[in-house]
Amino acid sequence: MKKTIVITGATDGIGRVCAHSFAKNQDELILVGRNPDKLAALVYSLQVTGATVHSYVADLSLAKETFLLSETIRKNHPKIDVLLNNAGAYFDQYTLTKEGLESTFALNHLNYFILSLGLLPSLKRAGEARIVNVASRAHMGVSLNFEDLLGEKEYSGWKQYQRSKLMNIYFTYELAERLNQTKITVNCLHPGFVKTKFGQNNDGLAKILLTFAQNIFAISEDKGAETSIFLVTDPSVSSVSGKYFVKKKIEKSSEPSYDVTARRNLWTYTEELLKSKFNFKFPGF
């Protein structure tokens, strides 16, 4: 059966591979990307195959833009079957968005939170729906410091990236619990170390080392997309929720990721930040 699928970070890497895969199933695609030229080129390449494609240009590191995007998509697409939260990045140096938030936290965590909550009404109308969050095994070995969640006191690009991926898992587990009386499932995954443009936004040594590592150790984009595609499409996981997947199988995430207090504290912190700084109000559960 045809599905309506939202994909963020659609123009490169895993997102692009997923878009082409779902287009073959004649699914209706809603693609989100930051670069209008790359997005237009992707849309064209999919439409020539007969796919139904809608596209939205947005910088998901900006909370206001992400919130407005969720409102626009919700208005234009009252029924959505799947949200694939895929957009993210690694920032080696401490940088702030135009809204004054640390970039890793803003893009990798807030964007998932805002879009998922903003699109809930459309997901509910689908009957059975899925939210799939691309996380990473990089979450292993870290915990959250709520006294310095945005890395203002002490910043390490890699540690902040790791923590943002732990946030993705916390968000998945908490949202799954909050939606357990609905027919919306929420799962997350580790795609593998994939040869994409990940890290190419950085300069100097960080970019050199990431490029070298990808050339030696990374798997292909097609391989890296397999678990995302599985969680979006496979009937066997239609009723599975609140799980972490690696290579299309449920695995245990890190010990700290099961800390319910930290998980709920992150939710509260995020909710209060978005309310106090932006006055966001979500449609609710």
Side-chain angles (χ1 to χ4, degrees):
M1 196 168 80
K2 269 181 67 170
K3 294 179 179 177
T4 301
I5 304 172
V6 179
I7 307 173
T8 67
T11 58
D12 288 303
I14 291 171
R16 188 182 65 230
V17 172
C18 287
H20 280 283
S21 175
F22 303 147
K24 290 175 186 173
N25 299 333
Q26 294 301 300
D27 290 320
E28 181 178 7
L29 302 181
I30 302 168
L31 308 180
V32 180
R34 191 179 61 172
N35 185 309
D37 295 333
K38 287 165 75 171
L39 192 58
L42 174 61
V43 169
Y44 177 77
S45 70
L46 295 168
Q47 285 178 334
V48 295
T49 69
T52 302
V53 189
H54 313 273
S55 63
Y56 296 88
V57 177
D59 182 348
L60 298 181
S61 70
L62 299 176
K64 284 182 182 176
E65 211 164 303
T66 307
F67 186 77
L68 287 173
L69 172 71
S70 73
E71 290 190 317
T72 303
I73 292 177
R74 195 170 70 237
K75 179 182 175 184
N76 294 344
H77 308 277
K79 184 182 79 68
I80 293 169
D81 297 282
V82 182
L83 168 61
L84 174 56
N85 284 313
N86 170 69
Y90 164 69
F91 298 89
D92 184 54
Q93 300 297 316
Y94 180 80
T95 57
L96 297 176
T97 67
K98 288 185 282 187
E99 295 171 330
L101 293 171
E102 191 276 316
S103 296
T104 311
F105 175 85
L107 177 58
N108 293 6
H109 170 60
L110 287 186
N111 123 60
Y112 284 24
F113 191 96
I114 295 168
L115 265 188
S116 299
L117 268 59
L119 295 180
L120 277 181
S122 294
L123 288 158
K124 284 181 177 179
R125 287 193 191 98
E128 291 186 357
R130 306 183 188 190
I131 297 173
V132 177
N133 297 322
V134 177
S136 171
R137 191 172 269 157
H139 81 279
M140 300 281 185
V142 294
S143 57
L144 299 187
N145 174 10
F146 285 92
E147 300 300 314
D148 190 27
L149 209 56
L150 303 184
E152 295 163 314
K153 298 174 185 175
E154 185 178 341
Y155 186 83
S156 156
W158 179 243
K159 288 288 185 187
Q160 191 70 353
Y161 177 77
Q162 288 184 284
R163 293 183 187 110
S164 75
K165 295 292 105 180
L166 176 58
M167 291 178 201
N168 293 160
I169 294 172
Y170 277 143
F171 174 61
T172 299
Y173 292 169
E174 182 64 20
L175 185 59
E177 184 173 298
R178 289 173 182 246
L179 293 173
N180 66 2
Q181 297 303 311
T182 73
K183 292 187 176 180
I184 302 173
T185 63
V186 193
N187 292 294
C188 59
L189 67 117
H190 167 61
F193 183 45
V194 187
K195 190 173 183 179
T196 65
K197 292 185 179 179
F198 175 78
Q200 297 302 304
N201 54 297
N202 297 283
D203 296 316
L205 187 60
K207 184 175 182 177
I208 293 168
L209 290 174
L210 275 168
T211 302
F212 175 78
Q214 286 179 335
N215 287 336
I216 301 297
F217 303 110
I219 60 176
S220 69
E221 293 176 349
D222 286 351
K223 196 76 179 167
E226 285 181 356
T227 303
S228 294
I229 294 168
F230 171 77
L231 286 175
V232 167
T233 62
D234 202 279
S236 69
V237 289
S238 62
S239 59
V240 176
S241 192
K243 301 299 181 184
Y244 170 69
F245 284 78
V246 181
K247 295 181 179 178
K248 300 191 281 189
K249 296 186 184 302
I250 296 172
E251 280 204 8
K252 195 173 180 193
S253 51
S254 70
E255 204 61 45
S257 72
Y258 295 102
D259 184 337
V260 176
T261 301
R263 184 181 93 196
R264 290 177 180 164
N265 284 344
L266 176 65
W267 186 284
T268 302
Y269 177 94
T270 306
E271 211 169 33
E272 289 177 352
L273 171 70
L274 294 174
K275 186 178 179 181
S276 62
K277 190 172 177 66
F278 303 104
N279 198 30
F280 289 169
K281 293 177 183 175
F282 294 101
F285 293 90

